[in-house]
Amino acid sequence: MSATRATILVVDDEPHSLTSMRMALEDEFDIRTAGDAETALRVLDEDWVQVIFCDQRMPGRTGVEFLTEVRERWPETVRIVITGYTDAGAMVAAINEAGIYQFITKPWHPDQLLMAARNATRLFQLSRENDRMALEMRVLTATAESRVEKRRRALREGLGFETILRAPNSPMNAVVQAARQFASFDVPVLLIGEPGTGKAALARAMHYGSLRSDRPFHSFSLSGLPDDLAMIELFGAKRGILPGGSNKIGLVQKAERGTLYLGGIDSASPALQVALLRLLIEGAFSPAGGQEIIGSNLRLIAGSDRDLRALVAEGRFRADLYYALSVTELELPPLRGRPGDIALHAQAVLMDMASRHGKPVHGFEAAALEFLENYDWPGNLRELSNEVTRMLIFGQGPLLGAELISRAILQAPPGDSGADRSAEAAMTGAGSLKDRIELVEMRILRETLARHRWNKSRAAAEMGLSRVGLRAKLDRYGILQPGRTTADEDEED
């Protein structure tokens, strides 16, 4: 049986940690262990390893340094870092240099370690499968729509929940776990969350995790659409209704035996609500301008930016439609409620946009990530994507710095989970005028220094201070450049 099991290499300089991880994983995987980087490299030379769990703090070489070499020599091996620290600089280095798949923080739970191992081996298998299908595609004709091509397209579009980026302790983990449970049950699902929280992406993941995964998935938003146009787009139209005199096939027919994600369901008109209720209860609909009844077999997943229960209570949404839609109801947290996910999403957007536009940028400086993680992101993932794209356009080096961030974000009050709530309290709370002014001054100093890439001479000139005067204020408030220590600052001066 061991021949069919994935092999995992665990690297840690503490023997009891190696023993604990072996015990957590050995029932399902073949485990190799190493107490240092050099021993681990010898194991990799001898065995075919699919996944590596590596401690970050080790004597000699750090985990990131070791995994950077692994990335160069064995790029297909999935790399996971275990760390007791949440240093932003180390995380940036891990993402940029070592291509880390996941961070696991200490103390870890055996179930958490086992789940990470299962997901990592599945990722390895998908990558190998993708490579195999790429080879097969070379011998197929350019026009043939084979099953291999469909599977390859599914991989490219995102095979389910592995595409939902999230940190080890993200609130999204509970949402994804619940979505996995309901994915294989052919029932309607209602997704609730602010605009831009990723409802359509979760609906797509549920489709690819369901028995309908080999059938079409279509996504459509009702937000801002006139009622007649929404009806035609969903249910189609008979000849004579539209200019040109041709029929129109609606998304309900296009998604036959597949899944239709309908966003903005809270903005559906009364007439559209009746039509959707009929679709759910009777499995039937009628095209615009037609009298015939057409049967439908699709799975409907609906998304709402607002609480539908409140709209039902106000008489603005049909109660029977709400209960038909919400066999299960999943609420996606806003981005400000999951700060640990911001760096992962920002990096993913950057890699995608840099590749698309052919620009050699591969990461963020620590100061930039600090500002991004402390911002509330009222526009959620869409706003973050726009900001990263704008930074990429103006960036001139391989790493994007804080000076590229929009000034509105640099000057914005920090979020609830940000590091500097005291400055916001100064504007609305109590306290002496002197104390409240000092708190605001701290924020101005940090924002100005970030824009000037921590060039103290330029920042001091903009604020009308001498360099000595600026240094005195930084010492007074304990403001340090991210990734530097007080000793570093003293040596520079």
Side-chain angles (χ1 to χ4, degrees):
M1 180 175 177
S2 62
T4 64
R5 303 204 308 177
T7 299
I8 293 178
L9 171 61
V10 179
V11 186
D12 198 310
D13 61 310
E14 297 181 6
H16 74 276
S17 295
L18 291 177
T19 302
S20 298
M21 285 188 278
R22 175 188 285 277
M23 293 177 62
L25 301 173
E26 64 185 358
D27 288 344
E28 292 188 25
F29 305 96
D30 288 336
I31 307 301
R32 304 288 184 270
T33 60
D36 56 57
E38 299 305 320
T39 304
L41 290 173
R42 289 194 294 271
V43 173
L44 289 168
D45 282 328
E46 298 170 358
D47 292 333
W48 188 44
V49 174
Q50 288 86 59
V51 181
I52 298 178
F53 287 83
C54 183
D55 187 45
Q56 166 63 1
R57 298 298 177 104
M58 297 188 300
R61 280 206 248 179
T62 66
V64 169
E65 291 171 344
F66 163 66
L67 293 178
T68 300
E69 181 175 347
V70 172
R71 182 185 191 181
E72 296 173 357
R73 298 177 59 184
W74 298 277
E76 71 279 5
T77 303
V78 180
R79 300 167 293 279
I80 299 175
V81 164
I82 299 178
T83 178
Y85 304 86
T86 56
D87 179 54
M91 293 181 66
V92 171
I95 293 173
N96 292 340
E97 300 168 14
I100 296 304
Y101 165 67
Q102 186 175 352
F103 295 90
I104 296 179
T105 56
K106 297 179 180 180
W108 46 264
H109 190 276
D111 290 343
Q112 178 191 14
L113 201 70
L114 188 59
M115 182 60 68
R118 290 170 179 168
N119 289 340
T121 53
R122 176 60 176 157
L123 179 64
F124 182 90
Q125 293 166 0
L126 287 173
S127 177
R128 300 283 291 184
E129 179 73 0
N130 193 30
D131 292 341
R132 184 187 66 79
M133 286 190 288
L135 292 175
E136 292 183 12
M137 283 295 294
R138 293 174 186 172
V139 299
L140 296 175
T141 64
T143 58
E145 181 85 311
S146 66
R147 289 183 62 86
V148 172
E149 187 177 6
K150 291 180 180 178
R151 291 176 65 192
R152 189 170 186 269
R153 185 189 308 121
L155 280 171
R156 186 172 61 249
E157 293 176 347
L159 256 182
F161 298 99
E162 289 79 8
T163 64
I164 308 296
L165 295 178
R166 57 201 187 276
N169 298 321
S170 171
M172 276 297 294
N173 291 333
V175 178
V176 170
Q177 182 179 2
R180 285 183 187 273
Q181 293 291 109
F182 282 97
S184 58
F185 289 85
D186 204 17
V187 297
V189 177
L190 178 61
L191 305 180
I192 304 292
E194 295 179 6
T197 49
K199 297 187 289 295
L202 184 61
R204 181 184 295 271
M206 294 185 71
H207 167 73
Y208 283 115
S210 74
L211 298 177
R212 298 177 181 262
S213 60
D214 60 339
R215 297 297 177 178
F217 173 84
H218 289 279
S219 177
F220 184 69
S221 177
L222 299 173
S223 299
L225 278 184
D227 184 51
D228 55 349
L229 181 57
M231 286 285 213
I232 292 173
E233 289 293 330
L234 287 175
F235 304 114
K238 301 300 290 183
R239 181 177 288 111
I241 298 298
L242 298 176
S246 61
N247 290 337
K248 179 178 176 61
I249 298 177
L251 289 173
V252 170
Q253 282 183 280
K254 292 180 180 180
E256 177 67 15
R257 299 179 68 186
T259 304
L260 174 62
Y261 170 69
L262 199 56
I265 193 74
D266 49 298
S267 62
S269 68
L272 182 54
Q273 291 182 39
V274 172
L276 290 174
L277 181 63
R278 181 187 185 192
L279 180 67
L280 284 169
I281 301 301
E282 303 176 13
F285 69 96
S286 296
Q291 299 299 320
E292 75 272 29
I293 298 175
I294 302 176
S296 173
N297 175 15
L298 60 73
R299 183 186 194 181
L300 185 64
I301 300 179
S304 174
D305 299 339
R306 293 177 287 178
D307 185 354
L308 287 189
R309 288 170 295 185
L311 297 182
V312 169
E314 297 169 6
R316 298 167 59 189
F317 198 87
R318 294 181 65 99
D320 48 4
L321 177 57
Y322 167 69
Y323 291 117
L325 288 170
S326 59
V327 175
T328 186
E329 186 173 324
L330 301 177
E331 183 173 357
L332 282 72
L335 196 54
R336 63 180 172 275
R338 37 192 286 217
D341 296 354
I342 292 174
L344 297 177
H345 280 284
Q347 183 68 24
V349 171
L350 178 60
M351 292 296 94
D352 178 59
M353 298 304 294
S355 175
R356 187 181 307 178
H357 296 285
K359 194 164 185 179
V361 177
H362 57 76
F364 299 87
E365 293 181 359
L369 279 182
E370 180 182 349
F371 276 101
L372 294 179
E373 291 177 335
N374 282 336
Y375 181 57
D376 271 347
W377 301 109
N380 293 298
L381 295 174
R382 294 172 190 164
E383 185 183 7
L384 176 61
S385 178
N386 291 344
E387 182 63 23
V388 171
T389 302
R390 197 196 67 81
M391 292 174 68
L392 174 67
I393 291 172
F394 289 101
Q396 299 298 319
L399 296 178
L400 302 182
E403 76 283 354
L404 298 170
I405 298 175
S406 298
R407 196 160 185 176
I409 294 178
L410 291 176
Q411 295 178 341
D416 291 335
S417 56
D420 186 17
R421 292 301 304 168
S422 59
E424 174 66 8
M427 304 300 295
T428 59
S432 69
L433 178 61
K434 177 177 177 296
D435 291 341
R436 296 170 68 185
I437 289 175
E438 288 180 347
L439 292 175
V440 174
E441 187 178 48
M442 286 171 55
R443 192 195 302 172
I444 293 173
L445 289 168
R446 291 180 69 250
E447 181 267 328
T448 304
L449 284 163
R451 280 192 293 105
H452 289 288
R453 299 181 62 85
W454 290 82
N455 185 306
K456 297 184 179 63
S457 297
R458 293 177 183 173
E462 178 180 316
M463 292 184 289
L465 298 171
S466 66
R467 184 179 172 87
V468 173
L470 174 60
R471 178 57 195 269
K473 289 182 179 295
L474 298 182
D475 289 343
R476 178 179 180 182
Y477 297 130
I479 298 175
L480 295 174
Q481 180 178 352
R484 294 175 67 90
T485 65
T486 304
D488 294 332
E489 298 287 336
D490 292 338
E491 183 178 341
E492 180 184 295
D493 284 354

